[in-house]
Amino acid sequence: MRVLGIETSCDETGVAVFDTAHGLVADALYSQVAMHADYGGVVPELASRDHTRRLLPLIRQVLEEAGLQRRELDAIAYTAGPGLVGALMVGAATAHGMARALSIPVLGVHHMEGHLLAPMLEEAPPAFPFVALLVSGGHTQLVEVQGLGRYRLLGESVDDAAGEAFDKAAKMLGLAYPGGPHLARLAERGDPTRLRFPRPMTDRPGLDFSFSGLKTHTLTAIRKLEAEGGLNDQARADVARAFEEAVVDTLVIKCRRALDDTGLKRLVVAGGVSANSRLRERLESETHKRGARAYYPRGRFCTDNGAMIAYAGAQRLLAGEHDETGIMKAVPRWPMDTLKIP
């Protein structure tokens, strides 16, 4: 089965073709980061309009790279949510229109299920069951995964997601959007011994997260340094380092608890923040101590992409799922624990 995957949930237009016999055939991504940078964040209306401009040319590009004609596709998968509703509608309408013209099945895919399954695209994918840490700009969740659609939510953020907290802390430090990668680079020059920020919700049982208080603590530390006349370049790097260390420690502590609580030995880490090198180093160390193993998608599949949607869609299409004729799905909020088991 050759499946075209379409991702338009936020500020990146992703397209890919996944072949269930031969794996990932081709993929392409267009990022809107430069357009939104002037506004310091994603502008939903601009995002939707840009998806409309970019999607069809990207589809043509990917099909050409795959050496396929449209009529050789067997199905189409698209991101149905969660995400920005206008952006989701662009992908949904395009997918349904193409599928109707080609008389092939079409399926709306859960965005976070795509992230969760992204490591399956690698040469050495994890086997079920495993614990998944989904950590991005919009979500921070720990999930026990027994198989496709068999998910148990272990914990999630009660306020800001980790990626969102990274971006907000970066903005406090005057860094460009998107702030997370810029803050991580600045943190490399920071003194790890100068400042220590709290590790929220690690002093109590449970697997939920909270990063709002850490964000407030960061702002307080910056204002104190400013009042003392000491917010120079080194001080900004020290704040970035303290913030990053606090987030990474919190994520690592919760992952350790999740592995201990479930007794599982495989940890999947996916989503934009999974590209953070300090987080990867710490998780590698922690899993090794427990005789466990951590799995990640390759760097370009950490952020939103069409390949993960094509793969996730292919698995559910093989199980017999598809959208009803003419019924598009665009779901801004869609809890993972409501997904069906194939």
Side-chain angles (χ1 to χ4, degrees):
M1 179 184 286
R2 298 188 185 103
V3 180
L4 178 72
I6 295 173
E7 156 61 25
T8 62
S9 65
C10 190
D11 61 345
E12 283 155 329
T13 311
V15 179
V17 172
F18 180 82
D19 188 321
T20 55
H22 303 287
L24 185 64
V25 179
D27 72 283
L29 183 74
Y30 179 83
S31 175
Q32 302 175 0
V33 164
M35 179 179 68
H36 295 294
D38 291 340
Y39 304 93
V42 177
V43 182
E45 177 65 19
L46 295 180
S48 302
R49 289 172 181 265
D50 204 57
H51 286 309
T52 302
R53 284 191 292 267
R54 308 291 179 181
L55 185 52
L56 290 178
L58 274 181
I59 291 173
R60 286 193 291 268
Q61 175 186 331
V62 165
L63 289 176
E64 184 178 340
E65 290 177 3
L68 296 173
Q69 300 294 319
R70 292 188 185 187
R71 63 179 180 273
E72 295 178 280
L73 294 172
D74 298 299
I76 301 175
Y78 65 95
T79 302
L84 303 175
V85 67
L88 293 169
M89 284 297 296
V90 175
T94 303
H96 271 264
M98 285 185 63
R100 184 76 174 268
L102 297 169
S103 298
I104 58 177
V106 60
L107 177 67
V109 172
H110 193 289
H111 179 74
M112 296 311 294
E113 183 171 58
H115 276 302
L116 185 151
L117 297 174
M120 299 297 188
L121 292 163
E122 303 306 315
E123 290 185 3
F128 297 118
F130 54 77
V131 170
L133 172 66
L134 303 178
V135 56
S136 66
H139 299 82
T140 302
Q141 298 175 324
L142 278 165
V143 183
E144 181 181 354
V145 180
Q146 292 292 333
L148 182 66
R150 298 169 60 195
Y151 310 133
R152 181 169 71 96
L153 183 65
L154 302 173
E156 62 184 339
S157 180
V158 299
D159 42 56
D160 291 356
E164 181 183 5
F166 261 104
D167 286 342
K168 289 179 178 178
K171 190 172 184 178
M172 295 175 198
L173 291 168
L175 300 175
Y177 171 85
H182 294 293
L183 186 145
R185 284 191 289 271
L186 180 62
E188 293 175 2
R189 307 201 308 268
D191 179 354
T193 65
R194 180 179 180 185
L195 300 168
R196 179 175 173 81
F197 288 0
R199 276 60 173 161
M201 295 185 73
T202 59
D203 59 349
R204 67 190 78 174
L207 294 171
D208 284 336
F209 303 87
S210 172
F211 295 105
S212 181
L214 178 59
K215 178 184 63 179
T216 303
H217 185 93
T218 303
L219 179 60
T220 301
I222 291 171
R223 286 177 173 171
K224 181 179 179 182
L225 288 166
E226 287 175 334
E228 296 170 352
L231 190 63
N232 54 25
D233 288 345
Q234 184 58 51
R236 290 170 67 248
D238 295 342
V239 170
R241 181 63 178 265
F243 176 85
E244 184 184 50
E245 291 278 4
V247 173
V248 167
D249 274 358
T250 300
L251 294 173
V252 170
I253 289 168
K254 299 289 184 170
C255 286
R256 183 171 64 218
R257 288 183 187 175
L259 291 172
D260 290 344
D261 289 353
T262 61
L264 296 175
K265 295 295 184 181
R266 288 179 287 270
L267 174 69
V268 162
V269 188
V273 181
S274 69
N276 182 279
S277 58
R278 199 175 307 280
L279 176 63
R280 291 196 177 203
E281 289 171 8
R282 289 290 312 283
L283 287 175
E284 288 291 337
S285 175
E286 286 295 325
T287 52
H288 181 72
K289 289 177 186 176
R290 284 167 168 67
R293 181 176 174 183
Y295 297 82
Y296 315 88
R298 70 196 76 170
R300 62 193 176 99
F301 292 161
C302 289
T303 55
D304 297 349
N305 62 87
M308 68 182 192
I309 301 304
Y311 178 84
Q315 306 316 303
R316 287 192 170 270
L317 284 157
L318 285 173
E321 293 188 37
H322 57 82
D323 287 359
E324 295 181 34
T325 302
I327 299 180
M328 297 182 294
K329 291 191 292 188
V331 190
R333 289 181 172 82
W334 187 2
M336 271 192 66
D337 55 11
T338 65
L339 286 175
K340 295 185 297 182
I341 299 175

Coordinates of all heavy atoms in Angstrom, one line a residue, residues 278-336:
R278 N 20.9 17.9 25.3 CA 21.1 17.6 26.8 C 20.1 16.6 27.3 O 20.4 15.7 28.1 CB 21.0 18.9 27.6 CG 21.7 18.8 29.0 CD 21.7 20.2 29.7 NE 22.3 21.2 28.9 CZ 23.6 21.4 28.7 NH1 24.4 20.7 29.4 NH2 24.0 22.4 28.0
L279 N 18.9 16.7 26.8 CA 17.8 15.8 27.2 C 18.2 14.4 26.7 O 18.1 13.4 27.5 CB 16.5 16.2 26.6 CG 15.3 15.2 26.9 CD1 15.0 15.1 28.3 CD2 14.1 15.7 26.1
R280 N 18.7 14.3 25.5 CA 19.1 12.9 25.0 C 20.2 12.3 25.8 O 20.2 11.1 26.1 CB 19.4 13.0 23.5 CG 18.2 13.3 22.6 CD 18.6 13.0 21.2 NE 17.4 13.3 20.3 CZ 17.2 12.7 19.1 NH1 18.1 11.9 18.6 NH2 16.2 13.0 18.4
E281 N 21.2 13.1 26.1 CA 22.4 12.6 26.9 C 21.9 12.1 28.2 O 22.3 11.0 28.7 CB 23.4 13.8 27.1 CG 24.1 14.2 25.8 CD 25.0 15.4 26.0 OE1 25.0 15.9 27.2 OE2 25.5 15.9 25.0
R282 N 21.1 12.9 28.9 CA 20.6 12.4 30.2 C 19.7 11.2 30.2 O 19.9 10.3 31.0 CB 19.8 13.6 30.9 CG 20.7 14.8 31.3 CD 21.6 14.4 32.5 NE 20.8 13.7 33.6 CZ 20.0 14.3 34.4 NH1 19.8 15.7 34.4 NH2 19.3 13.7 35.3
L283 N 18.9 11.1 29.2 CA 18.0 9.9 29.1 C 18.8 8.7 28.7 O 18.5 7.6 29.1 CB 16.9 10.2 28.1 CG 15.8 11.2 28.5 CD1 14.8 11.4 27.4 CD2 15.0 10.6 29.8
E284 N 19.8 8.9 27.8 CA 20.7 7.8 27.5 C 21.3 7.2 28.7 O 21.4 6.0 28.9 CB 21.7 8.2 26.5 CG 21.2 8.4 25.1 CD 20.8 7.2 24.4 OE1 21.2 6.1 24.8 OE2 19.9 7.3 23.5
S285 N 21.8 8.1 29.6 CA 22.5 7.7 30.8 C 21.5 7.0 31.8 O 21.8 5.9 32.3 CB 23.1 8.9 31.5 OG 23.6 8.6 32.8
E286 N 20.3 7.5 31.9 CA 19.3 7.0 32.9 C 18.8 5.6 32.4 O 18.7 4.7 33.2 CB 18.2 7.9 33.0 CG 18.5 9.1 33.9 CD 18.8 8.8 35.3 OE1 18.2 7.8 35.9 OE2 19.6 9.5 35.9
T287 N 18.6 5.5 31.1 CA 18.1 4.2 30.6 C 19.1 3.1 30.7 O 18.9 1.9 31.0 CB 17.5 4.3 29.2 OG1 18.5 4.9 28.3 CG2 16.2 5.1 29.1
H288 N 20.4 3.5 30.4 CA 21.5 2.6 30.5 C 21.6 2.0 31.9 O 21.9 0.8 32.1 CB 22.8 3.2 30.0 CG 24.0 2.3 30.0 ND1 24.1 1.3 29.1 CD2 25.0 2.2 30.9 CE1 25.3 0.6 29.4 NE2 25.8 1.2 30.4
K289 N 21.5 2.9 32.9 CA 21.6 2.4 34.3 C 20.6 1.4 34.6 O 20.8 0.5 35.5 CB 21.4 3.6 35.2 CG 22.5 4.6 35.3 CD 22.2 5.8 36.2 CE 23.2 6.9 36.1 NZ 22.8 8.1 36.9
R290 N 19.4 1.4 34.0 CA 18.3 0.5 34.3 C 18.3 -0.7 33.3 O 17.3 -1.4 33.4 CB 17.0 1.3 34.2 CG 16.8 2.1 35.4 CD 15.7 3.1 35.2 NE 15.3 3.7 36.5 CZ 16.1 4.5 37.2 NH1 17.3 4.8 36.7 NH2 15.8 5.0 38.4
G291 N 19.3 -0.8 32.5 CA 19.2 -1.9 31.5 C 18.1 -1.7 30.5 O 17.6 -2.7 29.9
A292 N 17.7 -0.4 30.3 CA 16.7 -0.1 29.4 C 17.3 0.6 28.1 O 18.5 0.7 28.1 CB 15.7 0.8 30.0
R293 N 16.5 1.0 27.2 CA 17.0 1.7 26.0 C 16.0 2.8 25.6 O 14.8 2.6 25.7 CB 17.1 0.6 24.9 CG 17.6 1.2 23.6 CD 17.8 0.2 22.5 NE 18.2 0.8 21.2 CZ 18.4 0.1 20.1 NH1 18.3 -1.2 20.1 NH2 18.7 0.8 19.0
A294 N 16.6 3.9 25.1 CA 15.8 5.0 24.6 C 15.8 5.0 23.1 O 16.8 4.7 22.5 CB 16.4 6.3 25.2
Y295 N 14.7 5.4 22.5 CA 14.5 5.4 21.0 C 14.1 6.8 20.7 O 13.2 7.4 21.3 CB 13.5 4.4 20.6 CG 13.9 3.0 20.8 CD1 13.7 2.4 22.0 CD2 14.5 2.2 19.8 CE1 14.0 1.1 22.3 CE2 14.8 0.9 20.0 CZ 14.5 0.3 21.3 OH 14.9 -1.0 21.5
Y296 N 14.6 7.3 19.6 CA 14.2 8.7 19.1 C 14.0 8.6 17.6 O 14.7 7.8 16.9 CB 15.3 9.7 19.4 CG 15.9 9.7 20.7 CD1 17.0 8.8 21.0 CD2 15.4 10.4 21.8 CE1 17.6 8.8 22.3 CE2 15.9 10.4 23.0 CZ 17.0 9.6 23.3 OH 17.6 9.6 24.5
P297 N 13.2 9.5 17.0 CA 13.2 9.7 15.6 C 14.4 10.5 15.2 O 15.0 11.2 16.0 CB 11.9 10.5 15.3 CG 11.7 11.2 16.6 CD 12.2 10.4 17.7
R298 N 14.8 10.4 13.9 CA 15.9 11.2 13.4 C 15.6 12.7 13.6 O 14.4 13.0 13.7 CB 16.3 10.9 12.0 CG 15.2 11.3 11.0 CD 15.4 10.6 9.6 NE 14.9 9.2 9.7 CZ 14.8 8.4 8.6 NH1 15.1 8.9 7.4 NH2 14.4 7.2 8.7
G299 N 16.6 13.6 13.6 CA 16.4 15.0 13.9 C 15.2 15.6 13.1 O 14.4 16.3 13.7
R300 N 15.2 15.4 11.8 CA 14.2 16.1 11.0 C 12.8 15.5 11.2 O 11.8 16.2 10.7 CB 14.5 16.0 9.5 CG 14.6 14.7 8.9 CD 15.3 14.8 7.5 NE 15.4 13.5 6.9 CZ 14.6 13.0 5.9 NH1 13.6 13.7 5.5 NH2 14.8 11.8 5.4
F301 N 12.6 14.4 11.9 CA 11.3 13.9 12.2 C 10.9 14.1 13.6 O 9.9 13.6 14.1 CB 11.3 12.4 11.9 CG 11.3 12.0 10.4 CD1 11.7 10.7 10.0 CD2 11.1 13.0 9.4 CE1 11.8 10.4 8.6 CE2 11.2 12.7 8.1 CZ 11.5 11.4 7.7
C302 N 11.7 14.9 14.3 CA 11.3 15.3 15.7 C 10.2 16.3 15.6 O 9.2 16.3 16.4 CB 12.5 15.8 16.5 SG 13.7 14.6 16.9
T303 N 10.4 17.3 14.7 CA 9.3 18.3 14.6 C 8.2 17.8 13.6 O 8.3 16.6 13.1 CB 9.9 19.6 14.0 OG1 10.6 19.3 12.8 CG2 10.9 20.2 14.9
D304 N 7.2 18.5 13.4 CA 6.1 18.1 12.6 C 6.6 17.7 11.2 O 7.4 18.4 10.6 CB 5.0 19.2 12.5 CG 4.4 19.5 13.8 OD1 4.6 18.8 14.8 OD2 3.7 20.5 13.9
N305 N 6.0 16.6 10.6 CA 6.4 16.2 9.3 C 5.4 15.3 8.7 O 4.5 14.7 9.4 CB 7.8 15.5 9.4 CG 7.7 14.2 10.3 OD1 7.4 13.1 9.8 ND2 8.0 14.4 11.6
G306 N 5.4 15.1 7.4 CA 4.5 14.3 6.7 C 4.8 12.8 6.8 O 3.9 12.0 6.7
A307 N 6.0 12.4 7.1 CA 6.4 11.0 7.1 C 5.7 10.3 8.3 O 5.2 9.2 8.1 CB 7.9 10.9 7.3
M308 N 5.7 10.9 9.4 CA 5.0 10.3 10.6 C 3.5 10.1 10.4 O 2.9 9.1 10.8 CB 5.3 11.1 11.9 CG 4.6 12.4 11.9 SD 5.0 13.3 13.5 CE 3.8 14.7 13.4
I309 N 2.9 11.0 9.6 CA 1.5 10.9 9.3 C 1.2 9.8 8.3 O 0.3 9.1 8.4 CB 0.9 12.3 8.8 CG1 1.1 13.4 9.9 CG2 -0.6 12.2 8.5 CD1 0.5 13.0 11.3
A310 N 2.1 9.7 7.3 CA 2.0 8.7 6.3 C 2.1 7.3 7.0 O 1.4 6.4 6.7 CB 3.0 8.9 5.2
Y311 N 3.1 7.2 7.9 CA 3.3 5.9 8.6 C 2.1 5.5 9.5 O 1.6 4.4 9.4 CB 4.6 5.9 9.4 CG 4.8 4.6 10.1 CD1 5.4 3.5 9.5 CD2 4.4 4.5 11.4 CE1 5.6 2.3 10.2 CE2 4.5 3.2 12.1 CZ 5.1 2.2 11.5 OH 5.3 1.0 12.1
A312 N 1.7 6.5 10.3 CA 0.6 6.2 11.3 C -0.7 5.9 10.5 O -1.4 5.0 10.8 CB 0.4 7.4 12.2
G313 N -0.9 6.7 9.4 CA -2.1 6.4 8.6 C -2.0 5.1 7.9 O -3.1 4.4 7.9
A314 N -0.9 4.7 7.5 CA -0.7 3.4 6.8 C -1.1 2.2 7.8 O -1.8 1.3 7.4 CB 0.7 3.2 6.3
Q315 N -0.7 2.3 9.0 CA -0.9 1.3 10.0 C -2.4 1.1 10.3 O -3.0 0.0 10.3 CB -0.2 1.5 11.3 CG 1.3 1.7 11.2 CD 1.9 0.7 10.2 OE1 1.8 -0.5 10.4 NE2 2.6 1.2 9.2
R316 N -3.1 2.3 10.4 CA -4.6 2.2 10.6 C -5.4 1.9 9.4 O -6.4 1.2 9.4 CB -5.0 3.6 11.2 CG -4.5 3.7 12.7 CD -5.2 4.9 13.4 NE -4.9 4.8 14.8 CZ -5.6 4.2 15.7 NH1 -6.7 3.5 15.4 NH2 -5.3 4.2 17.0
L317 N -4.9 2.3 8.2 CA -5.6 1.9 7.0 C -5.4 0.4 6.7 O -6.4 -0.2 6.3 CB -4.9 2.7 5.8 CG -5.4 4.2 5.7 CD1 -4.3 5.0 4.9 CD2 -6.7 4.3 5.0
L318 N -4.3 -0.2 7.1 CA -4.1 -1.6 6.9 C -5.1 -2.4 7.9 O -5.5 -3.5 7.6 CB -2.7 -2.0 7.3 CG -1.6 -1.7 6.2 CD1 -0.2 -2.0 6.7 CD2 -1.9 -2.5 4.9
A319 N -5.4 -1.7 9.0 CA -6.3 -2.3 10.0 C -7.8 -2.1 9.6 O -8.7 -2.6 10.3 CB -6.1 -1.7 11.4
G320 N -8.0 -1.5 8.4 CA -9.4 -1.3 7.9 C -10.1 0.0 8.2 O -11.3 0.1 7.9
E321 N -9.3 1.0 8.8 CA -10.0 2.2 9.1 C -9.9 3.2 7.9 O -9.0 3.1 7.1 CB -9.3 2.9 10.3 CG -9.4 2.2 11.6 CD -8.8 3.0 12.8 OE1 -9.0 4.2 12.8 OE2 -8.2 2.4 13.7
H322 N -10.9 4.1 7.8 CA -10.9 5.1 6.9 C -12.1 6.1 7.2 O -13.0 5.7 7.9 CB -11.1 4.6 5.4 CG -12.3 3.8 5.2 ND1 -13.6 4.4 5.0 CD2 -12.5 2.5 5.2 CE1 -14.5 3.4 4.9 NE2 -13.9 2.2 5.0
D323 N -12.0 7.3 6.7 CA -13.0 8.3 6.9 C -14.3 7.9 6.1 O -14.1 7.3 5.0 CB -12.6 9.7 6.5 CG -11.6 10.3 7.4 OD1 -11.3 9.7 8.4 OD2 -11.1 11.5 7.1
E324 N -15.4 8.3 6.6 CA -16.6 8.1 5.8 C -16.6 9.1 4.7 O -16.0 10.2 4.7 CB -17.9 8.4 6.7 CG -18.1 7.3 7.8 CD -19.3 7.6 8.6 OE1 -20.3 8.1 8.0 OE2 -19.3 7.4 9.8
T325 N -17.2 8.7 3.5 CA -17.2 9.5 2.3 C -17.7 10.9 2.6 O -18.8 11.1 3.1 CB -18.0 8.8 1.2 OG1 -17.5 7.5 1.0 CG2 -18.0 9.6 -0.1
G326 N -16.9 11.9 2.2 CA -17.3 13.3 2.3 C -17.3 13.9 3.7 O -17.7 15.0 3.9
I327 N -16.9 13.1 4.7 CA -16.8 13.7 6.1 C -15.4 13.9 6.5 O -14.6 13.0 6.8 CB -17.5 12.7 7.1 CG1 -18.9 12.5 6.7 CG2 -17.4 13.2 8.5 CD1 -19.7 11.5 7.6
M328 N -15.0 15.2 6.4 CA -13.7 15.6 6.8 C -13.6 15.8 8.3 O -14.6 16.2 9.0 CB -13.3 16.9 6.1 CG -13.2 16.8 4.6 SD -12.7 18.4 3.9 CE -14.1 19.4 4.3
K329 N -12.4 15.6 8.9 CA -12.2 15.8 10.3 C -11.1 16.8 10.5 O -10.1 16.8 9.9 CB -11.7 14.5 11.0 CG -12.8 13.4 11.0 CD -12.4 12.2 11.9 CE -11.2 11.4 11.3 NZ -10.9 10.2 12.1
A330 N -11.5 17.8 11.4 CA -10.5 18.8 11.9 C -10.9 19.1 13.3 O -11.8 19.8 13.6 CB -10.7 20.1 11.0
V331 N -10.0 18.5 14.2 CA -10.4 18.5 15.6 C -9.3 19.3 16.4 O -8.2 18.7 16.6 CB -10.4 17.0 16.2 CG1 -11.0 17.0 17.6 CG2 -11.3 16.2 15.3
P332 N -9.5 20.5 16.8 CA -8.5 21.3 17.5 C -8.0 20.6 18.8 O -6.8 20.7 19.1 CB -9.2 22.6 17.8 CG -10.3 22.7 16.8 CD -10.7 21.3 16.6
R333 N -8.9 20.0 19.5 CA -8.5 19.3 20.8 C -9.0 17.8 20.6 O -10.2 17.6 20.4 CB -9.1 19.9 22.0 CG -8.5 21.3 22.3 CD -9.1 21.9 23.6 NE -8.4 23.0 24.0 CZ -8.5 24.3 23.5 NH1 -9.4 24.5 22.6 NH2 -7.8 25.3 24.0
W334 N -8.1 16.9 20.9 CA -8.4 15.5 20.6 C -7.5 14.6 21.6 O -6.4 14.3 21.3 CB -8.1 15.1 19.2 CG -8.5 13.8 18.7 CD1 -9.2 12.8 19.4 CD2 -8.3 13.2 17.4 NE1 -9.4 11.7 18.7 CE2 -8.9 11.9 17.4 CE3 -7.7 13.7 16.2 CZ2 -8.8 11.1 16.3 CZ3 -7.6 12.9 15.1 CH2 -8.2 11.6 15.2
P335 N -8.1 14.3 22.7 CA -7.3 13.5 23.7 C -6.9 12.1 23.1 O -7.7 11.4 22.5 CB -8.3 13.3 24.9 CG -9.2 14.4 24.8 CD -9.4 14.6 23.3
M336 N -5.7 11.7 23.3 CA -5.2 10.5 22.7 C -5.9 9.2 23.3 O -6.0 8.2 22.6 CB -3.7 10.3 23.0 CG -2.8 10.9 21.9 SD -1.1 10.4 22.0 CE -1.2 8.7 21.7

